[in-house]
Amino acid sequence: MKLSQSLWLAGAAMGAALAIAPGEAVAQTTQQPQQFAQVTSVSQLSDVQPTDWWFSALQSLVERYGCIAGYPDGTYRGNRALTRGEFAAGLNACLDRINELIAAGLADKVSREDLATVQRLQEEFAAELAALSGRVDALEAKTAELEANPLGLNAVTSRLSVEVKTGIFAASDPIDSENNAILPYRIRLNFDTSFTGEDRFRIRLQARENSAFIGDPVGLGQGESSGAGSDVNDDVDIDDTFYEFPLFNGRVTGLFGLVSVEPSRLFILDNVLSGGISDLAEMDEHLTHNTLVDSTALGFSWEAIEDLLFISYGYGADDASESTLGNGLFAGESVHVVEVGFTPVDSLTLVAAYANYAAGQGDDPGPGTPINDIPGDAQAATFGVNWEITPRIVFQGYYTRGFFSEDAVDDTNDFIAGFAFSDYFIEGSNGGILVGSPDSLAVSQSFDLDGEDLDEFPIQIEAWYGFPVTNNITITPGVYYITNINNDGDDIIVGGVETTFRF
């Protein structure tokens, strides 16, 4: 059978990929998993039999040019009517295959009669082939656009994510207290929106209920539980609201936050130990950077030297919405934080950070309790390191020194050193071990059980191993041990199993 006759038969299958039939094309093309597979043998088409009058034509096209495709269900549907557009799609597929043979030096496999037929068909179907080429170009451009901008260009794209964290925990009785097993929880709903595909606007709603064990100077990482027997109610609050956006071709990231700005939004010292069960592991009560956590904040992060030097600055005000004396955006309790980060190699990050706290300009701010419960004016400096020893083992360490204007408050020396492990035993797992000191200022203020200053600040050792049960559920057993929680030398052990749901 001549090539022109064979092509009329090929069009019904090849053309189906782009123009099936009125009302049917949309349903097929929008279902990405359904692909029209190239046929390498006529026997792959379940509804084609050797007795069919078109059998030899299909067999010839498959063997000579390999330009036949079947429907996703493995059928050919040879009795269906054929449109000019469908025939153009089939013709285009065979033209591409013939060009490939010629380019590969196999022109002898294409007969002169077939080439003459192809030329005649090209002339007759020039309009349809041009339209088909335009459709393909448009689809390729749209695909490239979506790959480069998954959130979409010039469109507001929003996404909702939910995290529920709970578990059962228990503690030893360091001072003959009645510590009992507890079941705290934290629920977060994150609404993330992008206006350009490169920025992010987030609103987070949070509800939590948590109570620290008697004698525990740290508390669990599910909420602000620091305080002997303290409690966080289950009211729904706006916990995190910020807008981050690129500037100067992405070399600078700007940030404006109304509520509870996470330090990781600005600073490059990434907390790799955050998988632990305590507040210390989450750095909530420790690092200089975290002074912005409960603040209205303005800031930026600048990649001064590409992949080498980073400079970040953040300003936070604790009562920016208050118009009373001693409050407001600049007159109230506030903090300035500067971080310089250096990455000499991809696996090593070194940082130095400085924070300056102001208690406010009211008539008599006194010792007060400004940002992060620091009495009076204060300064703090942090030096930190993240070292990726292997792709699955990362070391993190940092030291913070606090200086306070109040004579009654001693300067503090706090530190953490630990290792985070990933993908050990179970793919997707996250484990770690750390040694550090809880916030010694918070300990001396809130957990002095004898009414005196602590002679020695506590030391904490913590270990955990989180493993995925499904893509959305993670279980994390963990335990931490804290020494010297009072001047009697008492210790406390807190342990439990935490479960996190994300969807």
PDB file of all heavy atoms in Angstrom, residues 154-176:
ATOM      1  N   ASN A 154       2.289  36.584  37.626  1.00  0.00           N
ATOM      2  CA  ASN A 154       1.281  37.644  37.688  1.00  0.00           C
ATOM      3  C   ASN A 154      -0.069  37.117  38.143  1.00  0.00           C
ATOM      4  O   ASN A 154      -1.120  37.517  37.644  1.00  0.00           O
ATOM      5  CB  ASN A 154       1.150  38.328  36.320  1.00  0.00           C
ATOM      6  CG  ASN A 154       2.452  38.930  35.867  1.00  0.00           C
ATOM      7  OD1 ASN A 154       3.196  39.500  36.657  1.00  0.00           O
ATOM      8  ND2 ASN A 154       2.748  38.796  34.581  1.00  0.00           N
ATOM      9  N   ALA A 155      -0.042  36.194  39.053  1.00  0.00           N
ATOM     10  CA  ALA A 155      -1.287  35.640  39.575  1.00  0.00           C
ATOM     11  C   ALA A 155      -1.134  35.418  41.066  1.00  0.00           C
ATOM     12  O   ALA A 155      -0.059  35.092  41.547  1.00  0.00           O
ATOM     13  CB  ALA A 155      -1.625  34.323  38.883  1.00  0.00           C
ATOM     14  N   VAL A 156      -2.188  35.624  41.799  1.00  0.00           N
ATOM     15  CA  VAL A 156      -2.176  35.392  43.235  1.00  0.00           C
ATOM     16  C   VAL A 156      -2.433  33.907  43.473  1.00  0.00           C
ATOM     17  O   VAL A 156      -3.481  33.378  43.097  1.00  0.00           O
ATOM     18  CB  VAL A 156      -3.241  36.249  43.944  1.00  0.00           C
ATOM     19  CG1 VAL A 156      -3.250  35.938  45.429  1.00  0.00           C
ATOM     20  CG2 VAL A 156      -2.954  37.733  43.705  1.00  0.00           C
ATOM     21  N   THR A 157      -1.476  33.244  44.040  1.00  0.00           N
ATOM     22  CA  THR A 157      -1.574  31.812  44.290  1.00  0.00           C
ATOM     23  C   THR A 157      -1.480  31.566  45.783  1.00  0.00           C
ATOM     24  O   THR A 157      -0.548  32.032  46.431  1.00  0.00           O
ATOM     25  CB  THR A 157      -0.449  31.053  43.567  1.00  0.00           C
ATOM     26  OG1 THR A 157      -0.492  31.374  42.175  1.00  0.00           O
ATOM     27  CG2 THR A 157      -0.598  29.557  43.750  1.00  0.00           C
ATOM     28  N   SER A 158      -2.417  30.848  46.339  1.00  0.00           N
ATOM     29  CA  SER A 158      -2.462  30.605  47.779  1.00  0.00           C
ATOM     30  C   SER A 158      -2.462  29.109  48.054  1.00  0.00           C
ATOM     31  O   SER A 158      -2.936  28.308  47.251  1.00  0.00           O
ATOM     32  CB  SER A 158      -3.701  31.252  48.409  1.00  0.00           C
ATOM     33  OG  SER A 158      -3.703  32.645  48.190  1.00  0.00           O
ATOM     34  N   ARG A 159      -1.917  28.776  49.221  1.00  0.00           N
ATOM     35  CA  ARG A 159      -1.866  27.379  49.620  1.00  0.00           C
ATOM     36  C   ARG A 159      -2.080  27.289  51.128  1.00  0.00           C
ATOM     37  O   ARG A 159      -1.559  28.096  51.892  1.00  0.00           O
ATOM     38  CB  ARG A 159      -0.510  26.767  49.259  1.00  0.00           C
ATOM     39  CG  ARG A 159      -0.388  25.286  49.609  1.00  0.00           C
ATOM     40  CD  ARG A 159       0.981  24.753  49.220  1.00  0.00           C
ATOM     41  NE  ARG A 159       2.026  25.378  49.993  1.00  0.00           N
ATOM     42  CZ  ARG A 159       3.328  25.130  49.849  1.00  0.00           C
ATOM     43  NH1 ARG A 159       3.725  24.281  48.912  1.00  0.00           N
ATOM     44  NH2 ARG A 159       4.225  25.729  50.595  1.00  0.00           N
ATOM     45  N   LEU A 160      -2.845  26.300  51.541  1.00  0.00           N
ATOM     46  CA  LEU A 160      -3.093  26.044  52.954  1.00  0.00           C
ATOM     47  C   LEU A 160      -2.344  24.789  53.369  1.00  0.00           C
ATOM     48  O   LEU A 160      -2.427  23.754  52.701  1.00  0.00           O
ATOM     49  CB  LEU A 160      -4.591  25.859  53.212  1.00  0.00           C
ATOM     50  CG  LEU A 160      -4.982  25.318  54.600  1.00  0.00           C
ATOM     51  CD1 LEU A 160      -4.602  26.310  55.693  1.00  0.00           C
ATOM     52  CD2 LEU A 160      -6.462  24.994  54.644  1.00  0.00           C
ATOM     53  N   SER A 161      -1.583  24.869  54.463  1.00  0.00           N
ATOM     54  CA  SER A 161      -0.936  23.697  55.040  1.00  0.00           C
ATOM     55  C   SER A 161      -1.256  23.649  56.525  1.00  0.00           C
ATOM     56  O   SER A 161      -1.428  24.683  57.173  1.00  0.00           O
ATOM     57  CB  SER A 161       0.583  23.737  54.828  1.00  0.00           C
ATOM     58  OG  SER A 161       1.158  24.884  55.439  1.00  0.00           O
ATOM     59  N   VAL A 162      -1.354  22.433  57.046  1.00  0.00           N
ATOM     60  CA  VAL A 162      -1.760  22.231  58.433  1.00  0.00           C
ATOM     61  C   VAL A 162      -0.728  21.357  59.126  1.00  0.00           C
ATOM     62  O   VAL A 162      -0.234  20.382  58.556  1.00  0.00           O
ATOM     63  CB  VAL A 162      -3.153  21.558  58.510  1.00  0.00           C
ATOM     64  CG1 VAL A 162      -3.566  21.345  59.958  1.00  0.00           C
ATOM     65  CG2 VAL A 162      -4.191  22.394  57.765  1.00  0.00           C
ATOM     66  N   GLU A 163      -0.395  21.724  60.365  1.00  0.00           N
ATOM     67  CA  GLU A 163       0.492  20.907  61.200  1.00  0.00           C
ATOM     68  C   GLU A 163      -0.154  20.725  62.560  1.00  0.00           C
ATOM     69  O   GLU A 163      -0.551  21.692  63.210  1.00  0.00           O
ATOM     70  CB  GLU A 163       1.862  21.560  61.373  1.00  0.00           C
ATOM     71  CG  GLU A 163       2.805  20.742  62.245  1.00  0.00           C
ATOM     72  CD  GLU A 163       4.078  21.482  62.597  1.00  0.00           C
ATOM     73  OE1 GLU A 163       4.050  22.283  63.566  1.00  0.00           O
ATOM     74  OE2 GLU A 163       5.094  21.280  61.912  1.00  0.00           O
ATOM     75  N   VAL A 164      -0.274  19.482  62.979  1.00  0.00           N
ATOM     76  CA  VAL A 164      -0.787  19.142  64.304  1.00  0.00           C
ATOM     77  C   VAL A 164       0.297  18.357  65.031  1.00  0.00           C
ATOM     78  O   VAL A 164       0.727  17.308  64.544  1.00  0.00           O
ATOM     79  CB  VAL A 164      -2.084  18.322  64.220  1.00  0.00           C
ATOM     80  CG1 VAL A 164      -2.575  17.971  65.624  1.00  0.00           C
ATOM     81  CG2 VAL A 164      -3.153  19.080  63.449  1.00  0.00           C
ATOM     82  N   LYS A 165       0.727  18.873  66.167  1.00  0.00           N
ATOM     83  CA  LYS A 165       1.785  18.228  66.938  1.00  0.00           C
ATOM     84  C   LYS A 165       1.257  17.924  68.330  1.00  0.00           C
ATOM     85  O   LYS A 165       0.754  18.806  69.030  1.00  0.00           O
ATOM     86  CB  LYS A 165       3.022  19.131  67.017  1.00  0.00           C
ATOM     87  CG  LYS A 165       4.202  18.505  67.745  1.00  0.00           C
ATOM     88  CD  LYS A 165       5.419  19.424  67.719  1.00  0.00           C
ATOM     89  CE  LYS A 165       6.015  19.493  66.322  1.00  0.00           C
ATOM     90  NZ  LYS A 165       7.322  20.209  66.327  1.00  0.00           N
ATOM     91  N   THR A 166       1.371  16.671  68.734  1.00  0.00           N
ATOM     92  CA  THR A 166       0.915  16.265  70.060  1.00  0.00           C
ATOM     93  C   THR A 166       1.784  15.101  70.526  1.00  0.00           C
ATOM     94  O   THR A 166       2.745  14.711  69.856  1.00  0.00           O
ATOM     95  CB  THR A 166      -0.573  15.876  70.033  1.00  0.00           C
ATOM     96  OG1 THR A 166      -1.016  15.606  71.355  1.00  0.00           O
ATOM     97  CG2 THR A 166      -0.817  14.656  69.160  1.00  0.00           C
ATOM     98  N   GLY A 167       1.468  14.542  71.665  1.00  0.00           N
ATOM     99  CA  GLY A 167       2.245  13.424  72.192  1.00  0.00           C
ATOM    100  C   GLY A 167       1.964  13.233  73.670  1.00  0.00           C
ATOM    101  O   GLY A 167       1.232  14.009  74.292  1.00  0.00           O
ATOM    102  N   ILE A 168       2.553  12.201  74.226  1.00  0.00           N
ATOM    103  CA  ILE A 168       2.419  11.942  75.652  1.00  0.00           C
ATOM    104  C   ILE A 168       3.803  12.020  76.283  1.00  0.00           C
ATOM    105  O   ILE A 168       4.772  11.454  75.762  1.00  0.00           O
ATOM    106  CB  ILE A 168       1.748  10.580  75.914  1.00  0.00           C
ATOM    107  CG1 ILE A 168       1.532  10.383  77.411  1.00  0.00           C
ATOM    108  CG2 ILE A 168       2.537   9.436  75.286  1.00  0.00           C
ATOM    109  CD1 ILE A 168       0.614   9.216  77.739  1.00  0.00           C
ATOM    110  N   PHE A 169       3.905  12.760  77.404  1.00  0.00           N
ATOM    111  CA  PHE A 169       5.196  13.021  78.047  1.00  0.00           C
ATOM    112  C   PHE A 169       5.062  12.837  79.557  1.00  0.00           C
ATOM    113  O   PHE A 169       3.984  13.022  80.131  1.00  0.00           O
ATOM    114  CB  PHE A 169       5.668  14.449  77.751  1.00  0.00           C
ATOM    115  CG  PHE A 169       5.853  14.732  76.287  1.00  0.00           C
ATOM    116  CD1 PHE A 169       4.811  15.225  75.527  1.00  0.00           C
ATOM    117  CD2 PHE A 169       7.069  14.500  75.673  1.00  0.00           C
ATOM    118  CE1 PHE A 169       4.964  15.479  74.170  1.00  0.00           C
ATOM    119  CE2 PHE A 169       7.243  14.754  74.320  1.00  0.00           C
ATOM    120  CZ  PHE A 169       6.183  15.241  73.575  1.00  0.00           C
ATOM    121  N   ALA A 170       6.172  12.516  80.179  1.00  0.00           N
ATOM    122  CA  ALA A 170       6.227  12.358  81.633  1.00  0.00           C
ATOM    123  C   ALA A 170       7.587  12.837  82.112  1.00  0.00           C
ATOM    124  O   ALA A 170       8.533  12.973  81.329  1.00  0.00           O
ATOM    125  CB  ALA A 170       5.993  10.899  82.031  1.00  0.00           C
ATOM    126  N   ALA A 171       7.694  13.107  83.428  1.00  0.00           N
ATOM    127  CA  ALA A 171       8.937  13.622  84.001  1.00  0.00           C
ATOM    128  C   ALA A 171       9.171  13.002  85.366  1.00  0.00           C
ATOM    129  O   ALA A 171       8.244  12.542  86.039  1.00  0.00           O
ATOM    130  CB  ALA A 171       8.882  15.154  84.111  1.00  0.00           C
ATOM    131  N   SER A 172      10.439  12.992  85.754  1.00  0.00           N
ATOM    132  CA  SER A 172      10.782  12.567  87.106  1.00  0.00           C
ATOM    133  C   SER A 172      10.325  13.627  88.101  1.00  0.00           C
ATOM    134  O   SER A 172       9.974  14.750  87.722  1.00  0.00           O
ATOM    135  CB  SER A 172      12.286  12.351  87.222  1.00  0.00           C
ATOM    136  OG  SER A 172      12.971  13.576  86.967  1.00  0.00           O
ATOM    137  N   ASP A 173      10.334  13.299  89.398  1.00  0.00           N
ATOM    138  CA  ASP A 173       9.894  14.229  90.454  1.00  0.00           C
ATOM    139  C   ASP A 173      11.113  14.733  91.206  1.00  0.00           C
ATOM    140  O   ASP A 173      11.558  14.143  92.193  1.00  0.00           O
ATOM    141  CB  ASP A 173       8.945  13.524  91.427  1.00  0.00           C
ATOM    142  CG  ASP A 173       7.652  13.091  90.754  1.00  0.00           C
ATOM    143  OD1 ASP A 173       7.260  13.762  89.790  1.00  0.00           O
ATOM    144  OD2 ASP A 173       7.068  12.092  91.178  1.00  0.00           O
ATOM    145  N   PRO A 174      11.714  15.859  90.759  1.00  0.00           N
ATOM    146  CA  PRO A 174      12.960  16.314  91.369  1.00  0.00           C
ATOM    147  C   PRO A 174      12.795  16.824  92.791  1.00  0.00           C
ATOM    148  O   PRO A 174      13.739  16.805  93.569  1.00  0.00           O
ATOM    149  CB  PRO A 174      13.413  17.430  90.426  1.00  0.00           C
ATOM    150  CG  PRO A 174      12.143  17.944  89.829  1.00  0.00           C
ATOM    151  CD  PRO A 174      11.266  16.740  89.685  1.00  0.00           C
ATOM    152  N   ILE A 175      11.607  17.306  93.139  1.00  0.00           N
ATOM    153  CA  ILE A 175      11.418  17.890  94.483  1.00  0.00           C
ATOM    154  C   ILE A 175      10.142  17.333  95.112  1.00  0.00           C
ATOM    155  O   ILE A 175       9.381  18.061  95.758  1.00  0.00           O
ATOM    156  CB  ILE A 175      11.357  19.423  94.407  1.00  0.00           C
ATOM    157  CG1 ILE A 175      10.327  19.867  93.362  1.00  0.00           C
ATOM    158  CG2 ILE A 175      12.715  20.011  94.095  1.00  0.00           C
ATOM    159  CD1 ILE A 175      10.109  21.364  93.349  1.00  0.00           C
ATOM    160  N   ASP A 176       9.921  16.043  94.892  1.00  0.00           N
ATOM    161  CA  ASP A 176       8.740  15.378  95.467  1.00  0.00           C
ATOM    162  C   ASP A 176       7.441  16.037  95.014  1.00  0.00           C
ATOM    163  O   ASP A 176       6.475  16.118  95.777  1.00  0.00           O
ATOM    164  CB  ASP A 176       8.816  15.379  97.008  1.00  0.00           C
ATOM    165  CG  ASP A 176      10.020  14.612  97.507  1.00  0.00           C
ATOM    166  OD1 ASP A 176      10.361  13.597  96.858  1.00  0.00           O
ATOM    167  OD2 ASP A 176      10.607  15.027  98.511  1.00  0.00           O
TER     168      ASP A 176
END
